[in-house]
Amino acid sequence: RAVTLQCASNIAVIKYWGKRDEKLLLPINSSLSVTLSPLHMGTITTAAASSEWEGDRLWLNGKEEDINSERIQNCLKAVREIAGDDAPKGGIRIVSENNFPTAAGLASSASGYACLVAALGSLFNIKENLSHIARQGSGSACRSMFGGFVKWNMGTKEDGTDSCAEQVAPETHWPELNALVLVVSDEKKKVSSTSGMETSVNTSVLLQHRAAVVVPERIAAMEKAIMEHDFETFGKLTMQDSNQFHATCLDTYPPIFYLNDTSRAVIYMVHKLNDAAGRIVAAYTFDAGPNAVLFVLERDVPAVASAVLSVFPPTDAVVLGEGKTFQAADDLAVFIPDDELRGQVASLRVAAGPGP
């Protein structure tokens, strides 16, 4: 028997950073995210079982990986325990492929572990919410178990059974909301999220204040903005929370630098664009890496995309077809392309997407 599923990455608009339990991956604060389209930002996983196979094996992006990794084993063991006597006998074979960079700050581990757990759950005929199991592979993976807008409740129980995800609204709730993914670098980050979080929890005073005071208020305000389609509030909160997350990284000792000069240029561009428009037309957010996600309403996508191309011109000419050429709008003339920024950003338009 074999099952193939597709899961998407998610981008947090209210960030998770820091654990209260390293083994169970229990967070120090709740978080809220948008699940993206799996067609552009996702993982495809096939899980198969056979009584003729001995042991379990796993392949990721065409390369066999160590199936005995603690986090993978935690997920396998937990799913088998839930399935009980209904679990397939023999060995399991898992083949997983990401369609975007791995470990580059684009939440590949979230879609990867969510897809692993969802595929195993389907293979074992489990119907219940398995987000608390996906969390044991990668914390943010629990949010990729649902589509649309998703909240990860931090929970309070010591065993972590109440630290799970729930859907705030489906992907169809706000169809006008788009995401522009700006890939600044596809290189593996120098400081892993796991290592960075541990250091921040141990050394950052700002992180403790953020988790206890700031995040609860922002979660409530963000949920309200989503339900009311209030992009002005949604955008402001998204940018403020991204900035504070990276401020906690700087407050960490020694400091952690996930953003680079191109990332900061993106931030500068967005604020200049919003100032010129007199309203928020784009909202940036950065996870633990230099790559940006810009949330944009459908009507503003052409202007924002033009701004990105103006500030970060591609190395090759932009071909529009029918003899037409790209020319920046006059109101974007403030963005003067710098040769150092040429070819530094690759952009991708993505919509909110479904769960597994």
Side-chain angles (χ1 to χ4, degrees):
R1 170 175 161 77
V3 171
T4 298
L5 289 180
Q6 188 173 36
C7 289
S9 171
N10 71 78
I11 298 298
V13 290
I14 304 296
K15 306 293 187 186
Y16 141 64
W17 192 251
K19 307 182 188 77
R20 62 182 173 91
D21 188 307
E22 289 287 340
K23 185 172 183 179
L24 295 177
L25 305 193
L26 302 179
I28 63 172
N29 65 266
S30 298
S31 56
L32 201 153
S33 64
V34 181
T35 301
L36 302 179
S37 168
L39 297 178
H40 302 105
M41 298 280 292
T43 301
I44 296 178
T45 298
T46 296
S50 173
S51 58
E52 297 180 0
W53 293 335
E54 292 186 7
D56 304 325
R57 298 176 70 182
L58 167 70
W59 289 263
L60 173 61
N61 295 329
K63 178 182 177 182
E64 185 164 10
E65 300 288 341
D66 183 12
I67 193 72
N68 294 313
S69 161
E70 181 179 4
R71 293 192 179 188
I72 294 174
Q73 283 299 313
N74 286 343
C75 293
L76 283 168
K77 180 181 177 181
V79 172
R80 279 179 164 136
E81 286 180 352
I82 292 175
D85 294 337
D86 294 330
K89 303 300 185 288
I92 294 175
R93 300 291 181 265
I94 303 163
V95 178
S96 191
E97 189 84 22
N98 292 329
N99 62 7
F100 63 106
T102 300
L106 287 171
S108 59
S109 62
S111 63
Y113 276 104
C115 216
L116 169 67
V117 171
L120 290 173
S122 180
L123 184 69
F124 291 7
N125 292 314
I126 299 174
K127 305 300 182 183
E128 65 185 79
N129 178 0
L130 297 177
S131 66
H132 64 293
I133 304 300
R135 186 205 71 232
Q136 296 179 44
S138 173
S140 55
C142 70
R143 298 192 306 250
S144 281
M145 295 294 285
F146 296 93
F149 304 87
V150 185
K151 180 169 67 172
W152 173 13
N153 295 302
M154 60 177 288
T156 57
K157 294 182 179 179
E158 291 298 319
D159 64 1
T161 52
D162 61 343
S163 181
C164 54
E166 63 173 317
Q167 188 179 66
V168 173
E171 67 276 11
T172 55
H173 169 70
W174 202 350
E176 298 84 8
L177 187 67
N178 282 255
L180 297 180
V181 181
L182 307 186
V183 181
V184 171
S185 172
D186 61 0
E187 294 182 0
K188 188 174 182 178
K189 54 196 175 191
K190 295 179 181 179
V191 180
S192 71
S193 295
T194 299
S195 173
M197 285 188 201
E198 185 175 3
T199 306
S200 292
V201 167
N202 291 332
T203 64
S204 174
V205 176
L206 176 58
L207 179 63
Q208 305 305 322
H209 172 75
R210 166 181 163 75
V213 179
V214 179
V215 169
E217 294 180 357
R218 283 187 178 166
I219 287 275
M222 183 62 83
E223 284 192 72
K224 184 174 184 291
I226 290 170
M227 298 312 296
E228 295 179 355
H229 301 139
D230 179 0
F231 187 73
E232 191 75 17
T233 301
F234 174 90
K236 183 178 180 180
L237 285 171
T238 295
M239 291 186 283
Q240 287 179 322
D241 204 72
S242 177
N243 292 341
Q244 190 180 68
F245 157 55
H246 287 280
T248 64
C249 291
L250 292 177
D251 189 51
T252 299
Y253 189 81
I256 305 169
F257 303 95
Y258 285 121
L259 305 183
N260 60 24
D261 287 344
T262 306
S263 307
R264 287 183 280 274
V266 170
I267 293 173
Y268 179 79
M269 176 203 72
V270 169
H271 282 292
K272 281 292 187 179
L273 182 61
N274 290 339
D275 288 345
R279 59 185 175 87
I280 294 178
V281 296
Y284 57 78
T285 186
F286 296 81
D287 278 349
N291 301 306
V293 174
L294 305 186
F295 287 104
V296 187
L297 292 180
E298 182 78 26
R299 68 174 187 259
D300 295 318
V301 168
V304 176
S306 295
V308 171
L309 287 172
S310 297
V311 180
F312 307 99
T315 52
D316 299 323
V318 177
V319 179
L320 300 180
E322 300 179 357
K324 296 179 180 179
T325 58
F326 172 77
Q327 186 174 10
D330 291 340
D331 59 351
L332 298 177
V334 64
F335 304 118
I336 302 174
D338 188 320
D339 286 342
E340 292 183 0
L341 298 179
R342 186 175 296 278
Q344 293 301 303
V345 169
S347 59
L348 173 68
R349 179 179 175 182
V350 185

